[in-house]
Amino acid sequence: DSDAKSTSPRLAAARSVAHTPQGRGTLEGIATMTLTSLLRDLYAPLRSLSDRTIEVYGYTIDAFGKFLGHQPTVADLEELTVARFLARRVRDRSAGTAAKDRSQLRALWEFAKRRDLAATWPLIPLVRVPERVPEAWLTDEFQRLLDEAAKEKTVYDRIPAALWRRALLLVM
């Protein structure tokens, strides 16, 4: 068909799966495409992702697969399924990890939907990530550091190391 000719060979091949007897002319055949194949064969090359980014997306896909109990496919990108996965990730890992997973699954899902590879658009809630409280020295701990720095006897370029170390501590 003319649509397949105007797209990349891999996307055309993915779409042609839907017209096999298994796919029966529906999205069913495409929906069996694994998320790993979607990532490596379509998404990464078209988005010029680095090897490291592909690896990190792979971690998310692997975690989603462990949650599902099978290799995730495009058909698994379903609102309730993904929401349950993210809720589990918040409980088992952290809100930050779940937010990263949400972002990556949503990116793959939107990519698939824009190319008619997924049945629905992603409608998954945001994962709220609490603001981290910065860690810092207590006043008495910092004073002890300054006191220890003052004991330094070394000299650098005719300047006592005690002054260097104090200055360094005060600008941190």
Side-chain angles (χ1 to χ4, degrees), residues 79-96:
E79 184 177 358
L80 187 55
T81 302
V82 173
R84 286 179 176 155
F85 166 68
L86 296 174
R88 167 87 51 89
R89 292 295 272 178
V90 168
R91 282 192 312 272
D92 294 349
R93 295 292 180 175
S94 72

Side-chain angles (χ1 to χ4, degrees), residues 31-90:
T32 62
M33 175 187 285
T34 67
L35 292 186
T36 301
S37 294
L38 177 68
L39 171 65
R40 293 191 184 282
D41 297 339
L42 298 172
Y43 188 77
L46 293 172
R47 293 287 189 254
S48 300
L49 298 184
S50 71
D51 289 343
R52 176 65 182 142
T53 300
I54 294 168
E55 183 181 2
V56 173
Y57 269 70
Y59 295 146
T60 296
I61 293 169
D62 290 346
F64 189 42
K66 285 178 186 168
F67 171 78
L68 295 169
H70 64 268
Q71 177 73 348
T73 65
V74 173
D76 291 316
L77 295 175
E78 191 274 326
E79 184 177 358
L80 187 55
T81 302
V82 173
R84 286 179 176 155
F85 166 68
L86 296 174
R88 167 87 51 89
R89 292 295 272 178
V90 168

Side-chain angles (χ1 to χ4, degrees), residues 125-160:
L126 286 173
V127 175
R128 303 221 183 270
V129 180
E131 191 174 321
R132 288 192 172 182
V133 176
E135 293 182 26
W137 286 303
L138 298 174
T139 305
D140 63 322
E141 293 172 324
F142 193 73
Q143 185 59 54
R144 279 185 281 168
L145 287 170
L146 290 172
D147 294 343
E148 288 301 313
K151 295 176 184 176
E152 182 63 47
K153 301 293 183 207
T154 310
V155 175
Y156 299 111
D157 291 329
R158 293 177 292 189
I159 299 173

